[in-house]
PDB file of all heavy atoms in Angstrom:
ATOM      1  N   GLU A   1       0.779  -1.192   0.036  1.00 95.00           N
ATOM      2  CA  GLU A   1      -0.059  -0.017  -0.009  1.00 95.00           C
ATOM      3  C   GLU A   1       0.842   1.210  -0.060  1.00 95.00           C
ATOM      4  O   GLU A   1       0.368   2.339  -0.369  1.00 95.00           O
ATOM      5  CB  GLU A   1      -0.828  -0.049   1.229  1.00 95.00           C
ATOM      6  CG  GLU A   1      -1.934  -1.190   1.180  1.00 95.00           C
ATOM      7  CD  GLU A   1      -2.396  -1.474   2.622  1.00 95.00           C
ATOM      8  OE1 GLU A   1      -2.048  -0.822   3.544  1.00 95.00           O
ATOM      9  OE2 GLU A   1      -3.261  -2.378   2.628  1.00 95.00           O
ATOM     10  N   LEU A   2       2.008   1.097   0.456  1.00 90.00           N
ATOM     11  CA  LEU A   2       3.046   2.312   0.316  1.00 90.00           C
ATOM     12  C   LEU A   2       4.212   1.741  -0.474  1.00 90.00           C
ATOM     13  O   LEU A   2       5.013   1.057   0.136  1.00 90.00           O
ATOM     14  CB  LEU A   2       3.525   2.673   1.785  1.00 90.00           C
ATOM     15  CG  LEU A   2       2.343   3.244   2.649  1.00 90.00           C
ATOM     16  CD1 LEU A   2       3.042   3.514   4.059  1.00 90.00           C
ATOM     17  CD2 LEU A   2       1.904   4.608   2.185  1.00 90.00           C
ATOM     18  N   PRO A   3       4.247   2.223  -1.683  1.00 88.00           N
ATOM     19  CA  PRO A   3       5.309   1.624  -2.479  1.00 88.00           C
ATOM     20  C   PRO A   3       6.706   2.244  -2.158  1.00 88.00           C
ATOM     21  O   PRO A   3       6.831   3.312  -1.867  1.00 88.00           O
ATOM     22  CB  PRO A   3       5.010   2.138  -3.981  1.00 88.00           C
ATOM     23  CG  PRO A   3       4.057   3.255  -3.722  1.00 88.00           C
ATOM     24  CD  PRO A   3       3.417   3.116  -2.546  1.00 88.00           C
ATOM     25  N   VAL A   4       7.624   1.253  -2.037  1.00 92.00           N
ATOM     26  CA  VAL A   4       9.052   1.623  -1.654  1.00 92.00           C
ATOM     27  C   VAL A   4       9.953   0.729  -2.561  1.00 92.00           C
ATOM     28  O   VAL A   4       9.534  -0.355  -2.952  1.00 92.00           O
ATOM     29  CB  VAL A   4       9.462   1.351  -0.215  1.00 92.00           C
ATOM     30  CG1 VAL A   4       8.609   2.235   0.701  1.00 92.00           C
ATOM     31  CG2 VAL A   4       9.208  -0.107   0.214  1.00 92.00           C
ATOM     32  N   PRO A   5      11.171   1.126  -2.825  1.00 95.00           N
ATOM     33  CA  PRO A   5      12.098   0.335  -3.574  1.00 95.00           C
ATOM     34  C   PRO A   5      12.425  -1.013  -2.826  1.00 95.00           C
ATOM     35  O   PRO A   5      12.595  -0.900  -1.609  1.00 95.00           O
ATOM     36  CB  PRO A   5      13.278   1.126  -3.751  1.00 95.00           C
ATOM     37  CG  PRO A   5      12.888   2.442  -3.381  1.00 95.00           C
ATOM     38  CD  PRO A   5      11.785   2.374  -2.456  1.00 95.00           C
ATOM     39  N   LEU A   6      12.397  -2.054  -3.437  1.00 96.00           N
ATOM     40  CA  LEU A   6      12.665  -3.419  -2.929  1.00 96.00           C
ATOM     41  C   LEU A   6      14.037  -3.826  -3.344  1.00 96.00           C
ATOM     42  O   LEU A   6      14.392  -3.489  -4.554  1.00 96.00           O
ATOM     43  CB  LEU A   6      11.657  -4.396  -3.218  1.00 96.00           C
ATOM     44  CG  LEU A   6      10.209  -4.081  -2.635  1.00 96.00           C
ATOM     45  CD1 LEU A   6       9.189  -5.208  -3.068  1.00 96.00           C
ATOM     46  CD2 LEU A   6      10.172  -4.026  -1.112  1.00 96.00           C
ATOM     47  N   PRO A   7      14.873  -4.612  -2.671  1.00 96.00           N
ATOM     48  CA  PRO A   7      14.582  -5.016  -1.333  1.00 96.00           C
ATOM     49  C   PRO A   7      14.656  -3.884  -0.278  1.00 96.00           C
ATOM     50  O   PRO A   7      15.382  -2.941  -0.530  1.00 96.00           O
ATOM     51  CB  PRO A   7      15.520  -6.228  -1.074  1.00 96.00           C
ATOM     52  CG  PRO A   7      16.759  -5.720  -2.034  1.00 96.00           C
ATOM     53  CD  PRO A   7      16.089  -5.027  -3.144  1.00 96.00           C
ATOM     54  N   ILE A   8      14.037  -4.262   0.918  1.00 95.00           N
ATOM     55  CA  ILE A   8      14.231  -3.376   2.038  1.00 95.00           C
ATOM     56  C   ILE A   8      14.247  -3.984   3.237  1.00 95.00           C
ATOM     57  O   ILE A   8      13.619  -5.028   3.432  1.00 95.00           O
ATOM     58  CB  ILE A   8      13.087  -2.282   1.884  1.00 95.00           C
ATOM     59  CG1 ILE A   8      13.180  -1.049   2.988  1.00 95.00           C
ATOM     60  CG2 ILE A   8      11.623  -2.915   2.189  1.00 95.00           C
ATOM     61  CD1 ILE A   8      12.281  -0.039   2.784  1.00 95.00           C
ATOM     62  N   VAL A   9      14.864  -3.431   4.312  1.00 93.00           N
ATOM     63  CA  VAL A   9      14.853  -3.980   5.734  1.00 93.00           C
ATOM     64  C   VAL A   9      13.913  -3.108   6.511  1.00 93.00           C
ATOM     65  O   VAL A   9      14.185  -1.877   6.554  1.00 93.00           O
ATOM     66  CB  VAL A   9      16.206  -3.914   6.313  1.00 93.00           C
ATOM     67  CG1 VAL A   9      16.039  -4.452   7.892  1.00 93.00           C
ATOM     68  CG2 VAL A   9      17.180  -4.863   5.560  1.00 93.00           C
ATOM     69  N   LEU A  10      12.776  -3.504   6.900  1.00 90.00           N
ATOM     70  CA  LEU A  10      11.743  -2.781   7.615  1.00 90.00           C
ATOM     71  C   LEU A  10      12.098  -2.533   9.052  1.00 90.00           C
ATOM     72  O   LEU A  10      12.957  -3.242   9.656  1.00 90.00           O
ATOM     73  CB  LEU A  10      10.291  -3.318   7.418  1.00 90.00           C
ATOM     74  CG  LEU A  10       9.780  -3.387   6.035  1.00 90.00           C
ATOM     75  CD1 LEU A  10       8.407  -4.164   6.040  1.00 90.00           C
ATOM     76  CD2 LEU A  10       9.565  -1.994   5.414  1.00 90.00           C
ATOM     77  N   GLY A  11      11.361  -1.718   9.801  1.00 85.00           N
ATOM     78  CA  GLY A  11      11.502  -1.471  11.143  1.00 85.00           C
ATOM     79  C   GLY A  11      12.146  -0.068  11.393  1.00 85.00           C
ATOM     80  O   GLY A  11      12.750   0.506  10.437  1.00 85.00           O
ATOM     81  N   HIS A  12      11.936   0.360  12.517  1.00 79.00           N
ATOM     82  CA  HIS A  12      12.444   1.787  12.939  1.00 79.00           C
ATOM     83  C   HIS A  12      12.425   1.869  14.419  1.00 79.00           C
ATOM     84  O   HIS A  12      12.146   0.938  15.195  1.00 79.00           O
ATOM     85  CB  HIS A  12      11.604   2.972  12.263  1.00 79.00           C
ATOM     86  CG  HIS A  12      10.156   2.746  12.616  1.00 79.00           C
ATOM     87  ND1 HIS A  12       9.238   1.870  12.215  1.00 79.00           N
ATOM     88  CD2 HIS A  12       9.465   3.561  13.507  1.00 79.00           C
ATOM     89  CE1 HIS A  12       8.017   2.251  12.708  1.00 79.00           C
ATOM     90  NE2 HIS A  12       8.239   3.053  13.439  1.00 79.00           N
ATOM     91  N   GLU A  13      12.595   3.067  14.902  1.00 84.00           N
ATOM     92  CA  GLU A  13      12.769   3.189  16.475  1.00 84.00           C
ATOM     93  C   GLU A  13      13.578   2.333  17.040  1.00 84.00           C
ATOM     94  O   GLU A  13      13.401   1.520  18.018  1.00 84.00           O
ATOM     95  CB  GLU A  13      11.290   3.210  17.031  1.00 84.00           C
ATOM     96  CG  GLU A  13      10.397   4.255  16.448  1.00 84.00           C
ATOM     97  CD  GLU A  13       8.885   4.056  16.924  1.00 84.00           C
ATOM     98  OE1 GLU A  13       8.570   3.204  17.688  1.00 84.00           O
ATOM     99  OE2 GLU A  13       8.135   4.890  16.676  1.00 84.00           O
ATOM    100  N   PRO A  14      14.893   2.294  16.609  1.00 89.00           N
ATOM    101  CA  PRO A  14      15.883   1.369  16.986  1.00 89.00           C
ATOM    102  C   PRO A  14      16.390   1.607  18.551  1.00 89.00           C
ATOM    103  O   PRO A  14      16.312   2.833  18.807  1.00 89.00           O
ATOM    104  CB  PRO A  14      17.049   1.386  16.108  1.00 89.00           C
ATOM    105  CG  PRO A  14      16.990   2.869  15.685  1.00 89.00           C
ATOM    106  CD  PRO A  14      15.510   3.100  15.579  1.00 89.00           C
ATOM    107  N   ALA A  15      16.772   0.669  19.116  1.00 95.00           N
ATOM    108  CA  ALA A  15      17.500   0.801  20.444  1.00 95.00           C
ATOM    109  C   ALA A  15      18.712  -0.121  20.424  1.00 95.00           C
ATOM    110  O   ALA A  15      18.635  -1.191  20.031  1.00 95.00           O
ATOM    111  CB  ALA A  15      16.517   0.397  21.637  1.00 95.00           C
ATOM    112  N   GLY A  16      19.897   0.269  20.874  1.00 96.00           N
ATOM    113  CA  GLY A  16      20.941  -0.450  20.969  1.00 96.00           C
ATOM    114  C   GLY A  16      22.195   0.339  21.450  1.00 96.00           C
ATOM    115  O   GLY A  16      22.018   1.258  22.149  1.00 96.00           O
ATOM    116  N   VAL A  17      23.362   0.023  20.836  1.00 98.00           N
ATOM    117  CA  VAL A  17      24.720   0.715  21.363  1.00 98.00           C
ATOM    118  C   VAL A  17      25.339   1.112  20.049  1.00 98.00           C
ATOM    119  O   VAL A  17      25.395   0.360  19.037  1.00 98.00           O
ATOM    120  CB  VAL A  17      25.515  -0.383  21.989  1.00 98.00           C
ATOM    121  CG1 VAL A  17      26.941   0.235  22.388  1.00 98.00           C
ATOM    122  CG2 VAL A  17      24.905  -0.898  23.348  1.00 98.00           C
ATOM    123  N   ILE A  18      25.831   2.328  20.187  1.00 97.00           N
ATOM    124  CA  ILE A  18      26.687   3.003  19.045  1.00 97.00           C
ATOM    125  C   ILE A  18      27.817   2.207  18.870  1.00 97.00           C
ATOM    126  O   ILE A  18      28.621   1.921  19.881  1.00 97.00           O
ATOM    127  CB  ILE A  18      26.895   4.326  19.390  1.00 97.00           C
ATOM    128  CG1 ILE A  18      25.647   5.242  19.243  1.00 97.00           C
ATOM    129  CG2 ILE A  18      27.828   4.974  18.257  1.00 97.00           C
ATOM    130  CD1 ILE A  18      25.712   6.662  19.629  1.00 97.00           C
ATOM    131  N   ASP A  19      28.129   1.673  17.590  1.00 97.00           N
ATOM    132  CA  ASP A  19      29.352   0.866  17.398  1.00 97.00           C
ATOM    133  C   ASP A  19      30.317   1.594  16.430  1.00 97.00           C
ATOM    134  O   ASP A  19      31.478   1.145  16.141  1.00 97.00           O
ATOM    135  CB  ASP A  19      29.109  -0.560  17.066  1.00 97.00           C
ATOM    136  CG  ASP A  19      28.499  -0.690  15.722  1.00 97.00           C
ATOM    137  OD1 ASP A  19      28.157   0.223  14.999  1.00 97.00           O
ATOM    138  OD2 ASP A  19      28.460  -1.901  15.216  1.00 97.00           O
ATOM    139  N   LEU A  20      29.772   2.676  15.749  1.00 97.00           N
ATOM    140  CA  LEU A  20      30.546   3.395  14.887  1.00 97.00           C
ATOM    141  C   LEU A  20      30.194   4.871  14.684  1.00 97.00           C
ATOM    142  O   LEU A  20      28.928   5.157  14.651  1.00 97.00           O
ATOM    143  CB  LEU A  20      30.698   2.732  13.489  1.00 97.00           C
ATOM    144  CG  LEU A  20      31.727   3.203  12.517  1.00 97.00           C
ATOM    145  CD1 LEU A  20      33.179   2.921  12.986  1.00 97.00           C
ATOM    146  CD2 LEU A  20      31.567   2.401  11.195  1.00 97.00           C
ATOM    147  N   VAL A  21      30.954   5.796  14.789  1.00 97.00           N
ATOM    148  CA  VAL A  21      30.631   7.254  14.848  1.00 97.00           C
ATOM    149  C   VAL A  21      31.180   7.864  13.623  1.00 97.00           C
ATOM    150  O   VAL A  21      32.379   7.717  13.231  1.00 97.00           O
ATOM    151  CB  VAL A  21      31.164   7.996  16.042  1.00 97.00           C
ATOM    152  CG1 VAL A  21      30.822   9.448  15.998  1.00 97.00           C
ATOM    153  CG2 VAL A  21      30.632   7.234  17.281  1.00 97.00           C
ATOM    154  N   GLY A  22      30.335   8.485  12.871  1.00 97.00           N
ATOM    155  CA  GLY A  22      30.716   9.210  11.525  1.00 97.00           C
ATOM    156  C   GLY A  22      31.425  10.637  11.915  1.00 97.00           C
ATOM    157  O   GLY A  22      31.383  11.141  13.071  1.00 97.00           O
ATOM    158  N   PRO A  23      32.071  11.228  10.878  1.00 97.00           N
ATOM    159  CA  PRO A  23      32.781  12.575  11.115  1.00 97.00           C
ATOM    160  C   PRO A  23      31.821  13.530  11.535  1.00 97.00           C
ATOM    161  O   PRO A  23      30.560  13.534  11.069  1.00 97.00           O
ATOM    162  CB  PRO A  23      33.273  12.843   9.621  1.00 97.00           C
ATOM    163  CG  PRO A  23      32.890  11.790   8.779  1.00 97.00           C
ATOM    164  CD  PRO A  23      32.099  10.672   9.497  1.00 97.00           C
ATOM    165  N   GLY A  24      32.171  14.425  12.401  1.00 95.00           N
ATOM    166  CA  GLY A  24      31.391  15.624  12.849  1.00 95.00           C
ATOM    167  C   GLY A  24      30.580  15.325  14.030  1.00 95.00           C
ATOM    168  O   GLY A  24      29.883  16.209  14.615  1.00 95.00           O
ATOM    169  N   VAL A  25      30.388  14.111  14.593  1.00 94.00           N
ATOM    170  CA  VAL A  25      29.505  13.835  15.643  1.00 94.00           C
ATOM    171  C   VAL A  25      30.325  14.072  16.824  1.00 94.00           C
ATOM    172  O   VAL A  25      31.362  13.655  17.124  1.00 94.00           O
ATOM    173  CB  VAL A  25      29.027  12.320  15.563  1.00 94.00           C
ATOM    174  CG1 VAL A  25      28.284  11.940  16.902  1.00 94.00           C
ATOM    175  CG2 VAL A  25      28.409  11.806  14.471  1.00 94.00           C
ATOM    176  N   LYS A  26      29.643  14.957  17.645  1.00 93.00           N
ATOM    177  CA  LYS A  26      30.290  15.463  18.735  1.00 93.00           C
ATOM    178  C   LYS A  26      29.699  15.042  20.139  1.00 93.00           C
ATOM    179  O   LYS A  26      30.227  14.986  21.237  1.00 93.00           O
ATOM    180  CB  LYS A  26      30.385  17.004  18.862  1.00 93.00           C
ATOM    181  CG  LYS A  26      31.211  17.420  17.783  1.00 93.00           C
ATOM    182  CD  LYS A  26      31.386  18.937  17.698  1.00 93.00           C
ATOM    183  CE  LYS A  26      32.120  19.695  16.664  1.00 93.00           C
ATOM    184  NZ  LYS A  26      32.718  18.933  15.644  1.00 93.00           N
ATOM    185  N   SER A  27      28.314  14.734  20.178  1.00 91.00           N
ATOM    186  CA  SER A  27      27.606  14.454  21.314  1.00 91.00           C
ATOM    187  C   SER A  27      27.428  12.970  21.688  1.00 91.00           C
ATOM    188  O   SER A  27      26.850  12.733  22.772  1.00 91.00           O
ATOM    189  CB  SER A  27      26.272  15.163  21.383  1.00 91.00           C
ATOM    190  OG  SER A  27      25.483  14.684  20.286  1.00 91.00           O
ATOM    191  N   LEU A  28      27.751  12.210  20.854  1.00 94.00           N
ATOM    192  CA  LEU A  28      27.666  10.781  21.008  1.00 94.00           C
ATOM    193  C   LEU A  28      29.094  10.022  20.674  1.00 94.00           C
ATOM    194  O   LEU A  28      29.937  10.404  20.017  1.00 94.00           O
ATOM    195  CB  LEU A  28      26.678  10.122  20.037  1.00 94.00           C
ATOM    196  CG  LEU A  28      25.179  10.613  20.188  1.00 94.00           C
ATOM    197  CD1 LEU A  28      24.364  10.180  18.991  1.00 94.00           C
ATOM    198  CD2 LEU A  28      24.587  10.105  21.523  1.00 94.00           C
ATOM    199  N   ARG A  29      29.260   8.868  21.499  1.00 97.00           N
ATOM    200  CA  ARG A  29      30.547   8.116  21.453  1.00 97.00           C
ATOM    201  C   ARG A  29      30.163   6.614  21.248  1.00 97.00           C
ATOM    202  O   ARG A  29      29.225   6.146  21.650  1.00 97.00           O
ATOM    203  CB  ARG A  29      31.335   8.350  22.714  1.00 97.00           C
ATOM    204  CG  ARG A  29      31.483   9.740  22.927  1.00 97.00           C
ATOM    205  CD  ARG A  29      32.934   9.911  23.439  1.00 97.00           C
ATOM    206  NE  ARG A  29      33.316  11.363  23.718  1.00 97.00           N
ATOM    207  CZ  ARG A  29      33.526  12.420  22.926  1.00 97.00           C
ATOM    208  NH1 ARG A  29      33.410  12.208  21.696  1.00 97.00           N
ATOM    209  NH2 ARG A  29      33.713  13.598  23.403  1.00 97.00           N
ATOM    210  N   THR A  30      31.219   6.031  20.652  1.00 97.00           N
ATOM    211  CA  THR A  30      31.158   4.485  20.647  1.00 97.00           C
ATOM    212  C   THR A  30      30.865   3.951  21.947  1.00 97.00           C
ATOM    213  O   THR A  30      31.465   4.407  22.884  1.00 97.00           O
ATOM    214  CB  THR A  30      32.361   3.916  20.067  1.00 97.00           C
ATOM    215  OG1 THR A  30      32.637   4.421  18.736  1.00 97.00           O
ATOM    216  CG2 THR A  30      32.428   2.385  19.883  1.00 97.00           C
ATOM    217  N   GLY A  31      29.974   3.047  22.125  1.00 98.00           N
ATOM    218  CA  GLY A  31      29.598   2.411  23.401  1.00 98.00           C
ATOM    219  C   GLY A  31      28.371   3.021  24.056  1.00 98.00           C
ATOM    220  O   GLY A  31      27.851   2.456  25.031  1.00 98.00           O
TER     221      GLY A  31
END
């Protein structure tokens, strides 16, 4: 009913642990 390009991994609102930080991120750290 909502067309999206396939294949796709569904789901959102994740909870977990940061394991990699991209450039410019200042307020979050690995772990």
Side-chain angles (χ1 to χ4, degrees):
E1 298 159 358
L2 294 173
V4 298
L6 298 176
I8 190 170
V9 177
L10 295 177
H12 61 283
E13 298 175 356
V17 175
I18 294 174
D19 70 351
L20 195 58
V21 176
V25 175
K26 296 182 182 359
S27 61
L28 297 168
R29 305 223 183 283
T30 301

